[in-house]
Every structure is written in C-alpha cells, then in structure tokens.
Amino acid sequence: PDEGRGMSTAAADSAARHRSGVWIAIAAYVAWGLMPLYWHLLKAVPAMQVMAHRVVWSALFVCGWLGFKYGRGWVRETLSRPHAATMLALSGALIAVNWGLYIWAVNAGHVVESSLGYFINPLLSVVLGVVVLKERLNRVQWLSVGIATMGVLWLTFSYGRFPWIAIVLACSFGAYGLVRKLLGVPPVRGLGVESLWLLLPALAFLLWSEASGRGHLLPHAGQAGWGWGVLGLLVFGGVLTSLPLIGFAAAVQRIPYSLVGLLQYISPTLQLLVGVLVLHEPFGRERAVGFAFIWVALAIYAADGVLRTRRNRPAIA
C-alpha cells in the first residue's frame, strides 16, 4: 500500500509539474505575441540600439536578482556543468540574432512576416524534439503536425518571395530552445550567463553610439526621438525581455519539447493579429487560408491532449 501511495504521489507531482509548465509556456507566448506593440513605441530608435539596451538592462535585472538571492558564486556554480560556458555562449549568440532581427523587422513594417517565422518555429521544435531528443508522437499528433505543415507551406509560397526574415527567426529561436533543453541549467541562471556573454559588446556599442552623438542614453543636439519616456521604455524593455525568456526556459524543463513547439503558435497568432488589426499591414485571402490550416491543427492537437488527460486521470488519483 505504501508503495502504491508513493507511486500515486509521484504521478500526481508529475501531472502538476506538467500543468504548471503548460501555463508558464502560455504566459510567455502571450507576452511575446504582444511584444510588437511595445517595440513599435521605440521605432524612432535604431534597432541595434534597442537590442543593445535589451541586453544591458536585462543583464542588470537578472544578474542583480541572482546576486541578491545566491551571492557571487552563482556564475561559478552555473558554469560548473560540462560544456556550460560554450553552450550558453552559443545560446546567447542565437538569442541576440533573434532579438536584433525581430526588432528591425517590427519597425520596418514586417510584423506579418515575423509572425510567419514564429509559425514555422514550432514545426522546427517538433522536428528537433523527435529527431534529436527522440520524443514520440502518436498518430493524431502527427496528423496535426502534417496539417500545420501544410498551412506553413501555403503561407510561405503565397508570400511572393523567399521569406528570409521568417526563416532566420525560426531557425535562431528553435536552435536556442534546443540548446537550453540539452544543457538543462536553471532557467534564470542560464539567462544570467547568456546576458553576461553579451554585456560587454552591447555596452561597447552603446558607448560608441553616445560618443558619435547617435545614442539614446543622453540628449544630443539636434537629435530626434530622444526623451525621458523613450529612455524609460528602453530600460523597462530589459524586464520585458527577461520574464518571458525565464518562463520559456522553465517550461522546456517541465513539458515535452514537441508540446512546447505546438504551444508556440499562440505567439505568432497574436503577432499576426497585431500586425493586421493594429499596425494595418496587408493580409489577403491567401494568408487567411494558411492561418485556418494552422488553427485546425491546433484544435486537433488540443483535443487529443484533453482526451489523453481524461484517460490517465484515474491512474493518477
């Protein structure tokens, strides 16, 4: 009886961890989906400066919190894992590419194409989960992936030109998630080390921008777009950068990477709606067809997940 009770408790803990991972992932993707509205407020600031500010203020926010909670030894403890320094340098470079391109794309009027990149990215995550991590999908899940793939292919080929922005965004973030999944360091500590790798180049760029009169830390004569409100948005952007990434890194440790891939459709859906309804980018019937394919795929995958959860509930209780 004690053994059975222990197994039941372990199953319940696993189910609770899975549920919390799902909700954490959803919160992160909603934040990312609405992020174009925030970066659009900073359209007067060059994209590379916005990205550098993201790095600096995110590093100060995350590393300050880690130092307060764990002391100065958190960096050494995080890097004590085999290959941690190299892998976190790689993940930091990947996320920097993703950030810089995304900010430029939003303020250059490519929110819809950016959303296509994040529609492609979940499919890439599913493929990486199956091929690299040896995760398995059942027939219904494969059906949903196939339908979603048809939708993404339709969106890609109806776009009219090679969607390089979408491809680079998808590959950079998909690879970032895989590296963090393989390394398995605590999410906040991993983000802290990534930020430290990027901090010096970002600071150097910001100081160069200030010295050349094009920075946004201090007012410069004849400069348009500077103000305390703009500076406040740049600083707070570090917090908005950190929290969804922390949530994402925590979620990938709690739920299968293939499920992470399919939940990611929340973010590009919201981005697409922001691009079309708020920023008034073009969205024709052809893109609506691809969008419909993806939502059908999501409905199938969600229904399969609900049915499997109900079937497993008696065993957990």
Side-chain angles (χ1 to χ4, degrees), residues 47-48 51 54-55 89-105 118 164-165 167-173 175-176 198:
M48 285 298 294
M51 196 272 284
R54 288 184 77 174
V55 170
L90 174 60
S91 62
L94 288 168
I95 203 62
V97 170
N98 188 273
W99 287 352
L101 178 59
Y102 181 71
I103 293 169
W104 173 83
Y118 291 106
W164 68 270
I165 296 173
I167 298 300
V168 174
L169 288 174
C171 292
S172 59
F173 197 71
Y176 172 80
L198 299 172

Side-chain angles (χ1 to χ4, degrees), residues 28 40 52 125 128 171 216:
H40 193 67
S125 297
L128 290 173
C171 292
H216 282 75

Side-chain angles (χ1 to χ4, degrees), residues 83-84 86-92 94 128 132-133 172-185 194 248 252-253 257:
H83 310 297
T86 302
M87 293 184 73
L88 287 172
L90 174 60
S91 62
L94 288 168
L128 290 173
V132 180
L133 303 178
S172 59
F173 197 71
Y176 172 80
L178 179 63
V179 170
R180 292 301 301 271
K181 178 77 171 180
L182 290 172
L183 183 58
V185 299
E194 289 171 349
F248 172 77
V252 298
Q253 301 303 319
Y257 200 55

Side-chain angles (χ1 to χ4, degrees), residues 121-195:
N121 180 55
L123 293 175
L124 181 61
S125 297
V126 171
V127 172
L128 290 173
V130 172
V131 174
V132 180
L133 303 178
K134 308 303 180 184
E135 296 178 355
R136 295 183 178 181
L137 303 181
N138 62 33
R139 291 181 180 179
V140 175
Q141 291 170 331
W142 275 118
L143 174 64
S144 66
V145 170
I147 295 173
T149 302
M150 292 170 59
V152 169
L153 289 174
W154 178 274
L155 286 169
T156 300
F157 289 108
S158 68
Y159 200 75
R161 61 178 176 82
F162 183 71
W164 68 270
I165 296 173
I167 298 300
V168 174
L169 288 174
C171 292
S172 59
F173 197 71
Y176 172 80
L178 179 63
V179 170
R180 292 301 301 271
K181 178 77 171 180
L182 290 172
L183 183 58
V185 299
V188 184
R189 295 189 184 199
L191 178 59
V193 174
E194 289 171 349
S195 301

Side-chain angles (χ1 to χ4, degrees), residues 8-315:
S8 177
T9 301
D13 290 343
S14 177
R17 180 178 173 82
H18 184 275
R19 284 194 298 270
S20 66
V22 170
W23 284 112
I24 291 170
I26 289 173
Y29 297 139
V30 169
W32 276 320
L34 298 177
M35 201 71 79
L37 295 173
Y38 191 87
W39 301 128
H40 193 67
L41 297 174
L42 291 166
K43 61 183 178 180
V45 182
M48 285 298 294
Q49 286 193 40
V50 177
M51 196 272 284
H53 276 281
R54 288 184 77 174
V55 170
V56 170
W57 300 115
S58 175
L60 291 176
F61 172 74
V62 174
C63 295
W65 184 85
L66 286 168
F68 173 78
K69 186 171 183 178
Y70 301 109
R72 290 179 295 178
W74 70 268
V75 176
R76 183 177 62 255
E77 293 174 5
T78 305
L79 296 179
S80 64
R81 297 194 179 205
H83 310 297
T86 302
M87 293 184 73
L88 287 172
L90 174 60
S91 62
L94 288 168
I95 203 62
V97 170
N98 188 273
W99 287 352
L101 178 59
Y102 181 71
I103 293 169
W104 173 83
V106 166
N107 289 332
H110 298 294
V111 174
V112 172
E113 185 176 349
S114 298
S115 72
L116 174 59
Y118 291 106
F119 277 127
I120 296 172
N121 180 55
L123 293 175
L124 181 61
S125 297
V126 171
V127 172
L128 290 173
V130 172
V131 174
V132 180
L133 303 178
K134 308 303 180 184
E135 296 178 355
R136 295 183 178 181
L137 303 181
N138 62 33
R139 291 181 180 179
V140 175
Q141 291 170 331
W142 275 118
L143 174 64
S144 66
V145 170
I147 295 173
T149 302
M150 292 170 59
V152 169
L153 289 174
W154 178 274
L155 286 169
T156 300
F157 289 108
S158 68
Y159 200 75
R161 61 178 176 82
F162 183 71
W164 68 270
I165 296 173
I167 298 300
V168 174
L169 288 174
C171 292
S172 59
F173 197 71
Y176 172 80
L178 179 63
V179 170
R180 292 301 301 271
K181 178 77 171 180
L182 290 172
L183 183 58
V185 299
V188 184
R189 295 189 184 199
L191 178 59
V193 174
E194 289 171 349
S195 301
L196 289 176
W197 275 118
L198 299 172
L199 181 59
L200 287 181
L203 273 175
F205 177 75
L206 289 179
L207 290 175
W208 175 82
S209 299
E210 291 297 322
S212 63
R214 293 190 289 266
H216 282 75
L217 276 174
L218 300 171
H220 298 278
Q223 181 189 50
W226 188 93
W228 291 110
V230 171
L231 181 58
L233 289 172
L234 289 169
V235 173
F236 191 66
V239 178
L240 290 182
T241 293
S242 304
L243 293 180
L245 272 173
I246 291 169
F248 172 77
V252 298
Q253 301 303 319
R254 298 173 184 230
I255 58 179
Y257 200 55
S258 51
L259 176 57
V260 170
L262 287 167
L263 285 175
Q264 284 175 351
Y265 281 116
I266 295 170
S267 175
T269 298
L270 291 175
Q271 290 177 31
L272 182 62
L273 292 174
V274 167
V276 175
L277 300 179
V278 180
L279 303 179
H280 307 295
E281 293 187 12
F283 183 73
R285 183 178 301 174
E286 293 81 5
R287 293 180 183 175
V289 171
F291 191 76
F293 271 107
I294 290 167
W295 272 107
V296 169
L298 283 175
I300 293 173
Y301 190 90
D304 176 69
V306 170
L307 290 175
R308 286 187 292 111
T309 300
R310 288 179 177 177
R311 285 197 298 266
N312 293 333
R313 191 171 297 165

